[in-house]
Amino acid sequence: MVEERAERYDFKEIEERWRDFWGERGFFRAPTSDIEKKFYYLNMFPYPSGSLHVGHGRNYIIGDVVTRFYLMRGYNILNPMGWDAFGLPAENAAIERGIHPRDWTLDNIANAKEQFRAWGIEYDWDREITTCLPDYYKWTQWLFLKLYEHGLAYKKKATVNYCPTCDTVLANEQVVGGVCERCGTPPEQKTLEQWFFKITDYADRLLDDLKTLDGWPENVKKMQENWIGRSVGAEVTFHTQDGEEIVVFTTRPDTLWGATFMVLAPEHPLVDRLTTPEQRADVDAYRAQAAKQTAVERTSTEREKTGVFTGGYAINPVNGREIPVWIADYVLMTYGTGAIMAVPAHDERDFAFAIKFGLPIIPVIARTDGRTKSYIPAGSADDAVEEALREAKFHFEKKEDGLYLTMDADRADEYAKIVQKHLKLGSWTETAGGRWLFIFHDELIEFDSVEADCAIMEHCHALDDKSRKYRTVMEMMSSFPFYADVLFHAEHGKIINSGDFSGTPGEQATEKVISWLEKTGKGKAAINFRLHDWLISRQRYWGAPIPIVYCEKCGIVPVPEKDLPVELPDVEFIGKMGLADIPGYAETTCPICGGPARRDTDTMDTFVDSSWYYLRYISAKNDEVPFVVEDVNNWLPVDQYVGGVEHAILHLLYSRFITKALQDMGYVNFSEPFKRLFTQGMVCHMAYRCPEHGWLFPSEVKDGKCPHCGRELEISNFSMSKSKKNVVAPAEIIDAYGADTERLYTLFMGPPDRDIEWSEEGVRGAFRFVNRVWTLVVTNAERVAAAPTEEFDPTALDDAGRSLWRRYQRTLKKVTEDIEGRFNFNTAISAIMELVNEAYRYVDDGGDDGLVRAVIEGLILILSPFTPFVCEEMWRRIGHEDAVLDQAWPEFSETAIVEEQVEIPVQINGKVRARVTVPMEIASDAQALSEYVLANEAVSHKLDGKKVVKAIAIPGKMVSLVVR
RNA sequence: GCCAGAGUGGCGGAAUUGGCAGACGCGCGGGACUCAAAAUCCCGUGGCCCUCGGGUCGUGUGGGUUCGACUCCCACCUCUGGCACCA
């Protein structure tokens, strides 16, 4: 098709030509005051670490595509960028290199900006923010003061997680899986005076408002929901024998009558007073041991329960029963009240604990399935029992060692009567699960209370010496595997064995008990959260100083707003240090009395910096206020927020909290900062690991073997990271194929919310496509430039032309909808590829100049968000002098997409047996379509004379025939 | 253990509302161009069977609903992520 060789695609030259063009033309500068058709697109701002790899690029490339798309659609789109620049990695890197973290950070920022430039990713750089610079952290400190003013920042002595490696305390959220999120060290427990933000005040709203976030991924909302961990239940007050109160939180007040013991956290303040002299040594030893344990050890579910008896007793307020008080490390001081009532019959943990320590277990909630089991040991009943049971229609399994029965609870009493008649002297059996009866030769005892437990055990001990090793009925039954699945359940069901409340149906149980508790003053409805207040003090240098002064006379004094920022002292960076290590920093005067005072020497958690940055972009340069209220209210909430799912809890929860707090203070008029959220997947790549020499660069690997020892390597896919040596540098790709190719491939390789694997072959495929487009355009450039510009009539075209025109319209629709709605850039690109394939065939055969012009111009425009450099170049090559971004996004017409005829598959008895080409006007009518198809020769041939029982025609789609 | 999400050719993935499974791309096979190679272009490409018309199986497994199921329902398996002694 190409007579003379087409001009080569010189991506280096092209990209160099346009690299600064868009920025210079100011396309990406958004006016703050103009709020018509606004769209606030935001990428989570990066932490400026070493260098960006192609995986990082994904996030920003997506943003750039969306921004360019909305620009062409006439929106005022704001897409700003900044730097989350405070934090430990900068300090650690600075220590390693012997430089100041500020220099390291600012260097990285400069590099990253250069990287964005190479990628063709444009921002409104006039709004750049850098959290480690005083013009930003001044306002982070302002935020702290506002929270303090409104009682949302407070200082308290608390047991906190302290990471010995990072030399600082950690927020609850920064302890992941029991270890420090950053370095993997199990944190130590320390008691320190620290600053907290009162996020728990907002727990309910943070949870409830998740329902309003329709544009958020379900999994992120679920993660936040779990994190907040709202539990509804009651607080019940128990008293010790000495009259001391022990308040417990429970989600199951309906099980109160089954509370046969209590457990306190080892750290619980009452433990000392409860402990009797005889138990003192055991208790002290246990507490010392518990204190030493790391969180990981202590919270392992696998672990067997441990604990000791305090010697003290409490009174169960519902039945006046005396119950022992134990301490155990499975009860956490940090949740609820640090004390629980143990209901072993209906709580798995309490059950395990009670079995281990021989504490009584009394069922107080009926099984909903009524499943009841019984075992009659061989020789314990006479031979007639089998016949009698069979006659009464009880099903059982006979094994060598006895009869195994499973029945419904309703028939347990009938069963007991039958069996009792046949029991031999000195034997017994029992029913367990739906009904609890102990059947002795001379007596039937219902297992419904601690007294019954004792009476039954007494009986058994008298009859069988072997039963003496069991302390409780449940312990005895649990030794027998057949019963294992009926001894314990945690379902809601009818209350039993609970005095006047017995018989209360499951649905009403909790509610009824709570109102009774409230009436009698024994307890009240209560809600508990897993969420804790946010600990924000950090004992490190590289953060925003907490703007607080301590005066001997005036106490805690906030630094007046006019004195902000409290600047980080500009000292030589000498390694791991906090502000407390800097001589003179703390010394100051009290803003109130002028007397000597000391500054707080902690800095704020970096998540404070990032919890409000999306507001600052609106007024990035304003030095009077953190943000202009009207402008922020106009621009926010963010229309589309995009970032990694790793921030699902920390950053997003904190930002939502700060927004709500600012709303309550009257600074913003919205309650959620991010209307829509998209979490992009990670980019993975092969990583090679030698069992002896660790991670290897792909370039070092020879035939899958280690270059040092020749050993077979472990090859697996991991998200790109420096430590695994599997990162691909953008420069490698840009040098070899250009930034357009990298952008296109990154978007084409898969749906953006999923993890994807980077492949060199895939990059070449994208490069090939860009080349194909280039060749198509430059070989037709003169023709397009010379073609008539007026509208042409698509109906006047030949078949191939009309087909291409429809394809073009269909592509416009698909690309528009894929970018706007689903973020499915991969399918948008494949549609453009199909268009290019068809366009090639068309121009090969000559074709209509007007159509070629329309298609090529449109092609360049819809491809331009993906590959902006080459599109800008091609746009000029076909005779334009203005820029792509000056053009409107092409509109499509639904009517132009409609095909003239369609191939309708015909199903006969559910299988496609024929295809019939049907004119559209017939295919769009169900009746006409089925008649047309039935009249078709190929179809009637397939019918083979059989009778059509039913014909279902779906207009434009298919026909389904049922024949007999 | 609990809660999400996923499972489709050799590979990445598509099928947007229950309507032609495998679009598009990679890889592979064949061909053209070339002294040759690379690049590029064209053709083919789920498995099995075939008389070359087609037939048949096929979307993790087993059931079900339906004229029709990758899609909906039930049960299960595997993988990924989050939480995990949270009372």
Side-chain angles (χ1 to χ4, degrees):
Chain A
M1 60 128 246
V2 189
E3 285 78 24
E4 70 272 32
R5 184 171 279 271
E7 183 190 339
R8 197 175 60 91
Y9 166 50
D10 187 346
F11 56 87
K12 285 207 169 128
E13 188 213 340
I14 292 167
E15 293 184 3
E16 196 43 53
R17 182 172 314 139
W18 301 108
R19 194 150 274 151
D20 297 310
F21 171 72
W22 305 299
E24 283 164 7
R25 281 282 308 268
F27 286 116
F28 294 83
R29 243 175 267 139
T32 313
S33 51
D34 186 353
I35 52 132
E36 288 288 293
K37 257 189 126 173
K38 70 101 191 173
F39 195 94
Y40 187 178
Y41 181 95
L42 187 62
N43 272 123
M44 288 181 187
F45 67 164
Y47 183 83
S49 61
S51 51
L52 298 168
H53 56 66
V54 294
H56 293 120
R58 195 179 191 190
N59 194 358
Y60 310 113
I61 291 166
I62 290 169
D64 195 60
V65 170
V66 174
T67 305
R68 288 173 187 269
F69 170 76
Y70 277 104
L71 271 177
M72 290 173 77
R73 303 205 85 200
Y75 281 81
N76 278 307
I77 182 162
L78 173 62
N79 179 10
M81 185 45 67
W83 315 99
D84 188 14
F86 267 140
L88 266 181
E91 280 193 63
N92 295 338
I95 291 166
E96 237 172 76
R97 294 168 176 76
I99 51 171
H100 197 283
R102 181 193 50 234
D103 300 334
W104 185 80
T105 302
L106 295 179
D107 262 8
N108 287 337
I109 290 173
N111 289 338
K113 285 178 86 165
E114 192 44 48
Q115 183 61 62
F116 285 135
R117 186 175 159 267
W119 268 325
I121 292 168
E122 296 292 325
Y123 295 105
D124 184 352
W125 285 118
D126 290 351
R127 297 174 185 278
E128 177 180 6
I129 57 178
T130 307
T131 61
C132 68
L133 297 180
D135 65 351
Y136 183 88
Y137 71 70
K138 169 181 179 179
W139 301 113
T140 305
Q141 291 170 340
W142 171 90
L143 177 67
F144 178 97
L145 293 178
K146 290 295 152 193
L147 292 168
Y148 179 75
E149 243 172 63
H150 289 82
L152 293 170
Y154 66 96
K155 200 173 193 196
K156 77 168 177 197
K157 191 171 234 160
T159 310
V160 295
N161 294 301
Y162 188 91
C163 175
T165 309
C166 299
D167 258 332
T168 184
V169 300
L170 304 170
N172 227 27
E173 287 80 358
Q174 285 163 329
V175 182
V176 176
V179 298
C180 170
E181 170 193 50
R182 205 185 317 278
C183 65
T185 312
E188 295 165 0
Q189 304 299 306
K190 276 201 179 183
T191 306
L192 289 170
E193 280 260 318
Q194 301 281 282
W195 283 95
F196 290 83
F197 286 167
K198 221 169 176 185
I199 191 170
T200 52
D201 269 13
Y202 288 81
D204 267 316
R205 280 167 65 190
L206 287 168
L207 184 69
D208 294 342
D209 288 354
L210 285 173
K211 290 188 203 80
T212 69
L213 296 174
D214 301 327
W216 280 42
E218 284 307 316
N219 60 331
V220 172
K221 288 194 275 186
K222 201 78 206 175
M223 279 157 80
Q224 293 216 351
E225 195 184 312
N226 293 341
W227 189 264
I228 296 166
R230 188 177 130 111
S231 300
V232 180
E235 269 182 18
V236 184
T237 308
F238 286 62
H239 288 91
T240 64
Q241 286 160 314
D242 305 335
E244 299 237 40
E245 279 191 359
I246 309 178
V247 178
V248 301
F249 173 75
T250 175
T251 53
R252 293 298 302 272
D254 56 325
T255 64
L256 249 166
W257 283 261
T260 50
F261 59 101
M262 296 187 83
V263 187
L264 306 187
E267 308 86 353
H268 197 284
L270 268 179
V271 174
D272 258 338
R273 272 170 281 164
L274 267 163
T275 305
T276 57
E278 307 82 70
Q279 292 300 107
R280 176 69 59 189
D282 281 359
V283 167
D284 287 349
Y286 187 79
R287 294 178 87 184
Q289 178 265 121
K292 262 197 298 212
Q293 282 185 42
T294 65
V296 201
E297 288 163 353
R298 182 160 165 178
T299 56
S300 160
T301 327
E302 319 305 76
R303 240 177 95 226
E304 219 190 306
K305 296 273 174 295
T306 59
V308 293
F309 180 39
T310 61
Y313 288 84
I315 310 296
N316 185 336
V318 298
N319 55 15
R321 208 182 289 283
E322 225 173 53
I323 56 175
V325 181
W326 286 62
I327 60 170
D329 61 7
Y330 80 91
V331 174
L332 310 172
M333 198 56 224
T334 49
Y335 185 81
T337 60
I340 62 159
M341 63 177 210
V343 184
H346 306 291
D347 181 283
E348 204 177 352
R349 297 149 300 171
D350 298 346
F351 183 81
F353 193 82
I355 290 289
K356 177 155 181 198
F357 293 105
L359 295 158
I361 302 169
I362 310 299
V364 291
I365 301 291
R367 285 183 76 86
T368 51
D369 62 2
R371 190 175 161 84
T372 306
K373 286 185 166 185
S374 184
Y375 164 62
I376 307 173
S380 59
D382 63 34
D383 296 342
V385 71
E386 282 180 45
E387 189 47 41
L389 288 173
R390 224 171 270 133
E391 202 170 296
K393 297 212 157 57
F394 281 99
H395 296 281
F396 57 86
E397 200 185 334
K398 188 177 178 181
K399 288 188 185 167
E400 221 167 89
D401 58 347
L403 305 180
Y404 291 78
L405 290 98
T406 303
M407 70 194 88
D408 196 78
D410 301 345
R411 301 199 64 200
D413 291 80
E414 185 195 342
Y415 164 79
K417 274 199 197 107
I418 295 170
V419 173
Q420 198 174 30
K421 274 188 229 143
H422 296 275
L423 270 184
K424 287 188 183 162
L425 213 61
S427 298
W428 80 86
T429 181
E430 65 280 307
T431 68
R435 185 111 172 85
W436 304 85
L437 294 168
F438 270 75
I439 307 157
F440 297 97
H441 184 259
D442 54 342
E443 201 180 356
L444 210 60
I445 307 181
E446 187 166 356
F447 172 48
D448 60 358
S449 62
V450 179
E451 286 77 22
D453 196 321
C454 296
I456 291 163
M457 290 317 289
E458 229 169 82
H459 240 87
C460 297
H461 290 170
L463 294 176
D464 180 4
D465 260 349
K466 269 183 266 161
S467 72
R468 286 181 190 278
K469 65 180 171 194
Y470 302 118
R471 295 160 289 188
T472 64
V473 165
M474 281 289 189
E475 189 184 13
M476 183 166 68
M477 288 196 283
S478 72
S479 68
F480 188 49
F482 178 59
Y483 288 145
D485 60 329
V486 292
L487 296 183
F488 146 86
H489 77 84
E491 298 170 315
H492 285 267
K494 190 177 80 179
I495 297 185
I496 54 170
N497 305 335
S498 302
D500 293 345
F501 281 86
S502 297
T504 311
E507 317 82 65
Q508 304 168 19
T510 303
E511 197 189 319
K512 273 199 161 172
V513 172
I514 288 177
S515 61
W516 178 76
L517 286 171
E518 284 178 347
K519 227 181 305 162
T520 54
K522 295 173 199 290
K524 57 172 200 250
I527 291 169
N528 229 300
F529 292 94
R530 210 188 82 111
L531 181 73
H532 287 72
D533 277 340
W534 173 16
L535 167 59
I536 59 127
S537 301
R538 295 290 180 277
Q539 292 73 47
R540 297 296 296 257
Y541 170 78
W542 196 231
I546 292 176
I548 287 287
V549 162
Y550 304 98
C551 168
E552 269 181 40
K553 258 205 286 191
C554 312
I556 296 180
V557 180
V559 174
E561 212 176 304
K562 65 170 173 53
D563 295 340
L564 296 183
V566 176
E567 287 206 40
L568 271 180
D570 188 7
V571 294
E572 198 195 337
F573 190 71
I574 43 135
K576 225 180 232 186
M577 64 184 193
L579 296 178
D581 303 317
I582 296 168
Y585 172 77
E587 286 155 38
T588 186
T589 51
C590 172
I592 297 174
C593 69
R598 298 189 59 77
R599 287 190 190 284
D600 194 300
T601 52
D602 284 344
T603 51
M604 286 186 250
D605 180 9
T606 49
F607 280 103
V608 180
D609 308 329
S610 57
S611 67
W612 73 282
Y613 78 108
Y614 44 89
L615 304 170
R616 182 62 180 169
Y617 280 132
I618 306 301
S619 318
K621 289 198 171 142
N622 194 310
D623 53 12
E624 305 289 315
V625 290
F627 49 84
V628 176
V629 170
E630 307 88 79
D631 290 344
V632 160
N633 284 339
N634 286 337
W635 273 94
L636 276 95
V638 172
D639 292 282
Q640 180 69 61
Y641 197 32
V642 178
V645 73
E646 66 274 17
H647 293 111
I649 296 168
L650 294 160
H651 163 61
L652 290 169
L653 193 67
Y654 294 150
S655 297
R656 296 181 58 223
F657 157 59
I658 293 297
T659 298
K660 287 173 197 299
L662 288 172
Q663 182 190 27
D664 287 353
M665 295 175 201
Y667 285 104
V668 302
N669 67 2
F670 48 91
S671 57
E672 287 290 339
F674 314 119
K675 202 188 297 173
R676 293 212 298 165
L677 173 70
F678 186 86
T679 51
Q680 90 280 359
M682 286 181 297
V683 177
C684 303
H685 197 221
M686 286 290 185
Y688 302 87
R689 192 185 150 86
C690 169
E692 198 187 324
H693 297 93
W695 299 101
L696 297 167
F697 289 108
S699 56
E700 298 176 275
V701 176
K702 288 180 194 103
D703 306 322
K705 301 226 163 57
C706 175
H708 308 295
C709 61
R711 257 198 258 193
E712 248 351 279
L713 298 174
E714 300 159 21
I715 305 172
S716 38
N717 241 320
F718 285 103
S719 69
M720 288 189 187
S721 85
K722 250 190 245 160
S723 63
K724 297 199 177 73
K725 298 190 173 177
N726 65 340
V727 298
V728 175
E732 282 174 43
I733 306 300
I734 293 176
D735 280 349
Y737 306 103
D740 279 331
T741 292
E742 188 194 330
R743 293 171 61 117
L744 190 78
Y745 172 63
T746 297
L747 296 165
F748 181 64
M749 59 183 160
D753 53 346
R754 239 188 272 174
D755 287 355
I756 39 172
E757 194 192 329
W758 185 268
S759 101
E760 190 70 21
E761 288 77 31
V763 177
R764 280 203 292 273
F767 182 64
R768 204 169 299 157
F769 173 70
V770 178
N771 270 284
R772 270 170 70 76
V773 176
W774 171 259
T775 304
L776 175 71
V777 172
V778 296
T779 52
N780 289 283
E782 281 170 36
R783 178 182 182 187
V784 168
T789 51
E790 64 267 21
E791 288 286 309
F792 70 101
D793 177 14
T795 58
L797 295 167
D798 60 4
D799 283 354
R802 289 202 308 281
S803 165
L804 176 63
W805 181 244
R806 281 194 301 273
R807 160 87 62 193
Y808 168 66
Q809 291 288 330
R810 209 160 56 228
T811 306
L812 291 183
K813 178 178 157 82
K814 176 131 188 84
V815 174
T816 306
E817 290 176 353
D818 279 352
I819 298 178
E820 198 170 30
R822 310 197 302 166
F823 267 30
N824 277 14
F825 310 106
N826 54 330
T827 52
I829 292 167
S830 71
I832 297 175
M833 286 172 169
E834 288 177 85
L835 174 65
V836 170
N837 288 344
E838 185 162 346
Y840 254 98
R841 286 192 291 270
Y842 186 75
V843 297
D844 243 2
D845 299 338
D848 180 86
D849 286 351
L851 176 63
V852 170
R853 181 193 179 106
V855 168
I856 284 185
E857 285 191 340
L859 167 68
I860 293 170
L861 295 180
I862 60 176
L863 191 58
S864 69
F866 305 100
T867 58
F869 296 100
V870 70
C871 287
E872 198 71 57
E873 177 73 19
M874 292 187 300
W875 187 247
R876 309 306 167 115
R877 295 295 186 101
I878 59 169
H880 294 282
E881 284 175 5
D882 49 2
V884 165
L885 287 173
D886 290 320
Q887 313 307 312
W889 185 258
E891 297 287 332
F892 60 89
S893 134
E894 289 285 354
T895 53
I897 292 167
V898 177
E899 297 286 340
E900 290 160 21
Q901 51 184 26
V902 276
E903 193 181 66
I904 297 287
V906 181
Q907 286 188 356
I908 296 171
N909 287 346
K911 297 206 165 159
V912 178
R913 295 292 178 189
R915 288 163 213 279
V916 183
T917 303
V918 184
M920 199 59 210
E921 60 268 29
I922 292 170
S924 58
D925 177 80
Q927 182 68 30
L929 174 61
S930 80
E931 277 166 19
Y932 188 93
V933 162
L934 281 167
N936 183 279
E937 202 184 317
V939 174
S940 51
H941 176 74
K942 292 280 176 191
L943 286 177
D944 203 20
K946 291 194 187 102
K947 198 178 160 224
V948 176
V949 182
K950 199 171 172 189
I952 298 142
I954 310 297
K957 288 274 165 66
M958 64 143 37
V959 173
S960 184
L961 303 172
V962 188
V963 304
R964 200 176 285 144

